[in-house]
């Protein structure tokens, strides 16, 4: 890189997914002039809504849809996104599991309704659910939620602080378990066990790995459930971009970064694919994965051999990828009365509809099947009909709907097989869907398209192996160790270069918390007093008794 920068900013963010945009918005409001560079033609990353190619006016959310607790996230509030037109709804029947051969399981936002519905399946499980919701509410509010919204503490310090309070000790007792241990200990009905474990899989947590047992009680006792962004998921990204613009920042789309340059020992500039060079006076933050950021873009410069090897060895999840089938429809899927439990059933208004899951064995089988490159012979599929809750996402009276299936990335040993297999697999998924919704006839379907894990990776190279959580969430890649052990959270060994995407704590999905926490780390290093009120975890936990 011989030529000097064409323009210099205080900070540069690589990748304008929601984590990059959240970080940028906080630092623009702190008075810095920050530029985000996005390789695709539209900012937002996984917050992506596209208009149907064949059917104008039908909008498909082809990546993130179930936005857990969106309106309760700190950045949603701090950045006043509702003043920019962002809105979310939280459907009352938040999840319905239709096994196909018996009554469904229903999970409402209202705990009493959930327990009443569970009692029809298993009175013992309904009682266990109520007890866990009560017992773990303080653990979720005082330990789990604050820990997500703050840079992780060193493990010994965290343990010492947690051991001082009742909520902390309750957390430690359950955290050492695997989700599977917790579920098998507390619940007996196969549907209840399967639903809880499948939600862990959807949250990209390996159900067999110890050290993540707190997720299940957190799902039960958490106050927030899945929400839908009105107008499509991209509306949230548009709100973030508007906030960035209102505070002096810029977002350049169609601007792929191909190199990070180090000058006088600091990450100081980036080079774009078209050869332009842009300077960063104070910081560069990358929302990409460790291999892209440290090896491909930085070229390993300034990293010792051990760090280079750790970056190379960063792992992705075998159950991370999804196959998606998206439909533009004359009418919404109508789930057969037999499957849904009778006329007048509210299953048609469920937000997340999980189809064909009958027991925990189907969840356990995913791990071996995916390692062997085999999709399940009888697929479990899940999805939603966004237009049931937000009719504006299709023309009047019409609908959009989709289902996903967890599938292996390396199909029969090679991800390239997906291109030839995609249409056939989509037909099989549609046949499976029709077992539950027979009205999805060819006449009702105006258009359909499918997306494979390879398509995901092509669109978002940071989701290597199609892993939508951008990295396995097991020991060695969680908390203070995410993405690489031995680094201060969000920092890299190259001074001035930070990580802020889903490969950092607390991981993937639309939480914005990696970006939120990284903004705090950068502000701290630059000596900027935050204008917002980030939680002081150590102080908060030391006040608990
Ligand atoms: C099919 C699918 C369904 C999902 N469903 C849900 C869901 O329902 N709920 C949920 O919470 N999460 C869901 N997710 C996961 C969620 O989308 C991701 O975890 C989240 O988007 C990660 O956010 P991020 O900002 O870290 O990265 P991303 O959203 O991936 O953003 C990174 C950005 O960097 C850009 N980029 C990459 N390389 C470069 C480069 N060299 N230069 C410049 N820019 C670059 C990318 O184009 C992208 O825009 C889903 C993901 C997929 C794939």
């Amino acid at each position: 890189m011989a030529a000097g920068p064409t323009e210099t900013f205080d900070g540069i963010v690589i990748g304008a997914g929601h984590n990059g945009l959240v970080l940028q918005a906080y630092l623009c409001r702190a008075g810095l002039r920050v530029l985000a560079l996005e390789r695709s033609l539209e900012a937002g990353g996984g917050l992506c809504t596209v208009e149907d190619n064949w059917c104008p006016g039908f909008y498909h959310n082809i990546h993130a849809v179930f936005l857990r607790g969106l309106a309760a996230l700190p950045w949603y509030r701090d950045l006043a996104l509702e003043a920019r037109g962002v809105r979310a709804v939280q459907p009352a029947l938040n999840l319905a599991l239709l096994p196909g051969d018996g009554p469904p399981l229903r999970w409402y936002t209202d705990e009493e309704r959930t327990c009443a519905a569970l009692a029809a399946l298993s009175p013992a499980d309904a009682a266990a659910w109520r007890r866990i919701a009560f017992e773990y509410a303080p653990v979720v509010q005082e330990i789990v939620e604050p820990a997500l919204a703050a840079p992780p503490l060193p493990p010994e310090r965290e343990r010492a602080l947690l051991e001082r309070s009742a909520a902390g000790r309750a957390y430690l007792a359950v955290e050492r378990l695997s989700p599977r241990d917790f579920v098998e200990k507390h619940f007996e009905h196969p549907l209840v066990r399967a639903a809880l474990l499948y939600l862990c899989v959807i949250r990209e947590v390996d159900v067999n790995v110890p050290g993540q047992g707190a997720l299940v009680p957190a799902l039960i006792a958490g106050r927030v459930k899945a929400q839908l962004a009105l107008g499509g998921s991209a509306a949230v990204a548009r709100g973030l971009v508007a906030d960035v613009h209102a505070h002096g920042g810029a977002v350049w789309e169609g601007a792929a970064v191909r190199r990070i340059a180090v000058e006088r020992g600091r990450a100081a500039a980036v080079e774009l694919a078209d050869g332009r060079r842009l300077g960063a006076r104070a910081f560069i933050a990358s929302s990409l994965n460790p291999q892209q950021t440290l090896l491909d873009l930085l070229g390993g410069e300034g990293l010792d051999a051990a760090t280079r090897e750790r970056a190379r060895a960063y792992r992705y999840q075998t159950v991370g990828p999804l196959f998606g089938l998206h439909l533009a429809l004359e009418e919404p899927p109508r789930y057969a009365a037999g499957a849904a439990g009778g006329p007048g059933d509210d299953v048609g208004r469920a937000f997340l509809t999980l189809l064909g899951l009958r027991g925990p064995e189907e969840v356990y089988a995913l791990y071996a099947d995916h390692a062997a490159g085999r999709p399940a012979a009888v697929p479990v599929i899940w999805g939603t009909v966004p237009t049931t809750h937000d009719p504006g996402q299709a023309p009047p009276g019409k609908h959009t709907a989709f289902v996903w299936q967890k599938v292996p990335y390396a199909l029969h040993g090679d991800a390239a097989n997906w291109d030839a297999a995609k249409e056939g697999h989509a037909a099989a998924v549609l046949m499976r869907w029709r077992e539950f919704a027979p009205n999805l006839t060819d006449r009702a379907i105006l258009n359909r398209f499918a997306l494979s894990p390879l398509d995901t990776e092509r669109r978002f190279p940071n989701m290597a192996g199609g892993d939508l959580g951008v990295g396995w969430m097991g020991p060695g890649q969680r908390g203070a160790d995410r993405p690489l052990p031995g680094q201060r959270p969000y920092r890299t060994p190259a001074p001035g270069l930070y990580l802020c995407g889903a490969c950092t704590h607390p991981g993937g999905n639309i939480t914005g918390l990696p970006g939120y926490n990284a903004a705090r780390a950068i502000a701290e290093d630059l000596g900027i007093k935050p204008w917002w009120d980030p939680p002081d975890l150590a102080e908060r936990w030391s006040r608990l008794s």
Side-chain angles (χ1 to χ4, degrees):
M1 244 189 255
T6 50
E7 209 174 335
T8 297
F9 297 81
D10 292 324
I12 289 179
V13 178
I14 303 174
H18 82 299
N19 280 312
L21 290 170
V22 166
L23 175 144
Q24 186 187 16
Y26 274 87
L27 294 179
C28 285
R29 281 176 176 242
L32 299 182
R33 188 166 166 258
V34 184
L35 168 70
L37 296 167
E38 170 54 46
R39 73 185 272 281
S40 74
L41 298 182
E42 205 163 351
L47 290 172
C48 175
T49 308
V50 297
E51 188 169 12
D52 195 291
N53 274 342
W54 290 95
C55 304
F58 289 76
Y59 296 94
H60 302 277
N61 300 290
I62 55 172
H63 294 285
V65 180
F66 303 102
L67 310 180
R68 190 172 164 84
L70 175 70
L73 288 164
W75 48 271
Y76 186 94
R77 187 191 54 231
D78 287 346
L79 304 174
L81 288 189
E82 294 203 347
R84 305 206 176 277
V86 180
R87 292 280 184 286
V89 289
Q90 185 169 275
L93 178 51
N94 215 245
L95 179 151
L97 163 53
L98 279 60
D101 58 358
L105 176 149
R106 294 180 182 78
W107 189 340
Y108 293 92
T109 51
D110 180 88
E111 187 191 312
E112 279 311 310
R113 287 183 82 187
T114 306
C115 290
L118 290 177
L121 297 174
S122 159
D125 284 357
W129 192 285
R130 187 176 278 111
R131 179 177 49 74
I132 290 167
F134 177 76
E135 272 177 19
Y136 287 93
V139 178
V140 172
Q141 283 158 37
E142 290 163 6
I143 310 294
V144 176
E145 288 174 355
L148 299 175
L153 298 171
E156 317 74 49
R157 173 120 174 84
E158 178 179 279
R159 170 165 282 275
L161 282 164
L162 291 173
E163 275 169 352
R164 291 163 58 159
S165 69
R169 287 189 294 276
Y171 173 82
L172 289 173
V174 79
E175 179 67 357
R176 65 188 162 74
L177 304 175
S178 69
R180 179 175 179 167
D181 293 336
F182 185 93
V183 164
E184 290 182 351
K185 179 169 171 202
H186 292 280
F187 297 100
E188 61 178 26
H189 195 284
L191 282 195
V192 179
R193 286 182 169 189
L196 286 167
L197 290 170
Y198 211 83
L199 268 199
C200 292
V201 171
I202 292 178
R203 307 296 305 164
E204 309 311 324
V205 162
D206 188 327
V207 300
N208 299 303
V209 173
Q212 305 181 90
L215 179 60
V216 179
L219 290 169
I220 294 172
R223 289 165 297 183
V224 294
K225 301 286 181 265
Q227 301 183 341
L228 177 81
L230 295 183
S233 301
V236 182
R238 282 197 298 274
L240 289 168
V241 171
D243 197 72
V244 163
H245 286 157
H247 294 89
V251 179
W252 293 2
E253 290 147 335
V257 175
R258 73 173 178 206
R259 190 172 162 208
I260 298 170
V262 174
E263 287 169 7
R264 288 181 291 278
R266 277 188 72 77
V270 300
E271 189 181 276
L272 300 186
D274 64 10
R276 275 179 295 172
R277 180 188 159 101
L278 302 159
R281 274 183 288 269
F283 74 89
I284 295 172
S286 166
S287 45
L288 312 186
N289 66 40
Q291 284 113 359
Q292 288 173 298
T293 306
L294 299 176
L295 303 179
D296 301 347
L297 298 184
L298 188 64
E301 202 171 329
L303 308 185
D304 59 29
T307 307
R308 275 200 300 271
E309 185 44 41
R310 279 200 291 268
R312 233 187 312 276
Y314 182 75
R315 285 177 62 186
Y316 297 89
Q317 328 193 55
T318 52
V319 295
L322 292 179
F323 185 94
L325 175 63
H326 297 262
L327 305 182
L329 288 166
E330 284 285 359
E331 60 187 55
R334 296 192 203 288
Y335 293 109
D345 200 288
D346 61 356
V347 158
R349 300 227 25 106
F351 185 24
L352 192 158
T353 309
L354 185 49
L355 304 171
L357 179 64
R358 284 161 305 166
E361 289 69 27
E362 285 154 306
V363 182
Y364 304 147
L366 282 173
Y367 294 90
D369 282 350
H370 285 202
R374 263 188 325 255
V378 185
V380 170
I381 53 178
W382 83 99
T384 193
V385 186
T387 41
T388 300
H389 311 284
D390 182 16
Q393 294 194 34
K398 313 283 188 208
H399 289 270
T400 57
F402 70 87
V403 287
W404 290 323
Q405 180 196 356
K406 283 277 178 193
V407 291
Y409 170 70
L411 180 67
H412 308 307
D414 187 350
N417 288 331
W418 272 116
D419 287 339
K422 189 161 91 170
E423 284 315 312
H425 194 81
V429 169
L430 180 57
M431 272 171 57
R432 178 70 167 146
W433 198 353
R434 284 172 170 158
E435 290 173 28
F436 297 86
N439 70 318
L440 291 180
T441 59
D442 288 346
R443 193 202 54 79
I445 298 173
L446 300 170
N447 189 27
R448 77 180 211 210
F449 64 93
L451 294 168
S452 75
L454 193 55
D455 295 326
T456 296
E457 187 188 55
R458 284 177 180 136
R459 191 178 183 99
F460 299 126
N462 46 314
M463 297 186 190
D467 178 359
L468 58 90
V470 194
W472 191 60
M473 281 295 287
Q477 290 196 177
R478 299 176 56 231
D481 290 339
R482 190 171 179 86
L484 308 182
Q487 307 294 329
R488 288 176 67 212
Y490 311 101
R491 282 86 171 177
T492 72
L497 178 62
Y498 296 80
L499 291 168
C500 66
C503 71
T504 62
H505 172 79
N509 289 312
I510 304 301
T511 67
L513 297 174
Y516 173 78
N517 293 339
R520 171 179 176 174
I522 294 172
E524 195 179 297
D525 288 358
L526 297 180
I528 295 172
K529 188 172 161 12
W531 56 265
W532 65 102
D533 190 18
D536 182 336
L537 208 52
E539 191 271 333
R540 189 167 172 167
W541 284 352
S542 58
R543 271 191 285 114
L544 299 176
S545 53

